[in-house]
Amino acid sequence: MTNPTTSLDGKVAIVTGAGAGLGRAEALALADAGARVVLNDLPGGAEGTAEEIRSRGGEASIVAGDVGERATADAMMAAAVDGFGRLDVVVNNAGITRDRMLFNMSDEEWDQVIHIHLRGHFLLSRNAASYWRTQAKESGPVGASVVNTASEAFLSGPPGQANYGAAKAGIAALTVSTARSMASSGVRANAICPRARTAMTAQVFGEDQSGMDVDPYSPEHVAPVVAYLASDAAANITGQVFVVYGGMVALVAAPVVEERFDKAGDLWTADDLDKQIGGYFTDRDPAHGFAADSIMKLRA
């Protein structure tokens, strides 16, 4: 029996936001593993990544544009399928931040983040899913992989990132839905929550003061994980969420029920609710909520 391989020889991948930071590192890792790569970024953003891939003997093409626009998703699909003959891997990475406390956030700041992150993930994923479903109907399961970029922000509820946290929560849900709806077509979907020092997170992580040979927050720690999830070696991994940084990969479990409350009579009454639910919270720390604070304490 042939062992699954981590090689991406013969495969074609799309990486959004590939001009710098995580996307660039991911695109290079995919290309180094053998994939031909369609690079997306805003106009002028991905040329350096394409040149680097080609200098290493790889193949790359560029589709410039806003990932939240349907035309960009269509163009990326065309570059892969028409340009390279197929599509096997989608890495949704492109993103922006517009941080603001909820009470000060503008409509535009909300819409911009949802547009790039959540709508951007949806458009390319939907187009790829349609293509793969057609391929699967014609010739059987396709063995494709989607790697989405969520964030621990969806687990922690950062006060100044209501837009970003909501978008990333949507991406996590989209990932699980993609994994379940596309399983019969042979498509896997997983999400990573990376911690990486990039232009987008410069204000979060600041300068590297670790003194280590490789910055713990370097995208170079994340890219190999993405390339692995894209490979046939990860054929049994789907519908998962991973925290990735500094040489650590942490598998995040699904939420669990902490406590259950059942009505005492035919219907809930205010007194019954207060006795059961109110009583449960009487001596509970109000700061202890749905936020996964324990995950935020992970250290590489």
Side-chain angles (χ1 to χ4, degrees):
M1 183 176 179
T2 302
N3 291 327
T5 174
T6 58
S7 170
L8 299 178
D9 286 344
K11 295 185 183 292
V12 174
I14 297 174
V15 181
T16 67
L22 271 173
R24 179 181 183 277
E26 291 163 347
L28 291 172
L30 292 168
D32 287 345
R36 291 170 289 169
V37 188
V38 176
L39 309 170
N40 158 264
D41 213 300
L42 294 176
E47 276 75 3
T49 306
E51 291 175 6
E52 180 68 19
I53 288 173
R54 291 165 187 155
S55 74
R56 300 182 184 188
E59 295 182 58
S61 64
I62 298 172
V63 173
D66 177 349
V67 294
E69 297 296 333
R70 171 66 186 270
T72 304
D74 291 348
M76 286 189 281
M77 289 297 300
V81 177
D82 299 335
F84 287 139
R86 58 188 293 147
L87 176 64
D88 305 278
V89 178
V90 165
V91 178
N92 284 305
N93 165 76
I96 61 170
T97 53
R98 296 291 184 269
D99 295 352
R100 189 90 59 185
M101 296 297 286
L102 179 60
F103 43 81
N104 286 328
M105 186 171 290
S106 68
D107 295 1
E108 291 74 21
E109 288 164 339
W110 174 270
D111 291 343
Q112 287 171 350
V113 170
I114 299 298
H115 175 83
I116 297 297
H117 287 276
L118 187 53
R119 179 175 166 83
H121 272 62
F122 157 70
L123 288 173
L124 182 54
S125 295
R126 187 270 314 279
N127 284 13
S130 177
Y131 164 77
W132 286 324
R133 186 168 183 265
T134 299
Q135 295 296 111
K137 284 183 175 181
E138 294 176 354
S139 54
V142 296
S145 176
V146 176
V147 181
N148 289 332
T149 308
S151 167
E152 290 165 283
F154 98 87
L155 298 165
S156 64
Q161 292 186 312
N163 47 5
Y164 185 73
K168 293 305 190 181
I171 288 168
L174 173 64
T175 302
V176 177
S177 180
T178 301
R180 291 191 163 186
S181 65
M182 294 301 296
S184 62
S185 297
V187 179
R188 298 174 289 108
N190 295 286
I192 60 168
C193 299
R195 298 182 196 175
R197 201 185 312 277
T198 66
M200 193 178 80
T201 61
Q203 293 182 337
V204 177
F205 297 121
E207 296 294 325
D208 177 20
Q209 298 180 340
S210 68
M212 301 176 68
D213 291 340
V214 180
D215 180 358
Y217 293 105
S218 169
E220 301 301 324
H221 292 298
V222 179
V225 179
V226 172
Y228 174 75
L229 290 174
S231 75
D232 293 341
N236 293 327
I237 305 173
T238 190
Q240 307 300 321
V241 176
F242 299 95
V243 175
V244 185
Y245 93 104
M248 175 201 72
V249 177
L251 175 62
V252 179
V256 298
V257 174
E258 178 181 333
E259 188 69 25
R260 172 174 164 165
F261 310 94
D262 292 287
K263 61 183 174 56
D266 292 334
L267 293 171
W268 282 110
T269 65
D271 285 345
D272 190 15
L273 287 166
D274 187 49
K275 178 181 179 181
Q276 293 199 55
I277 301 178
Y280 182 79
F281 283 92
T282 297
D283 298 318
R284 180 188 169 103
D285 181 359
H288 177 51
F290 189 81
D293 294 329
S294 62
I295 294 176
M296 301 307 296
K297 296 175 182 177
L298 281 170
R299 293 292 179 266

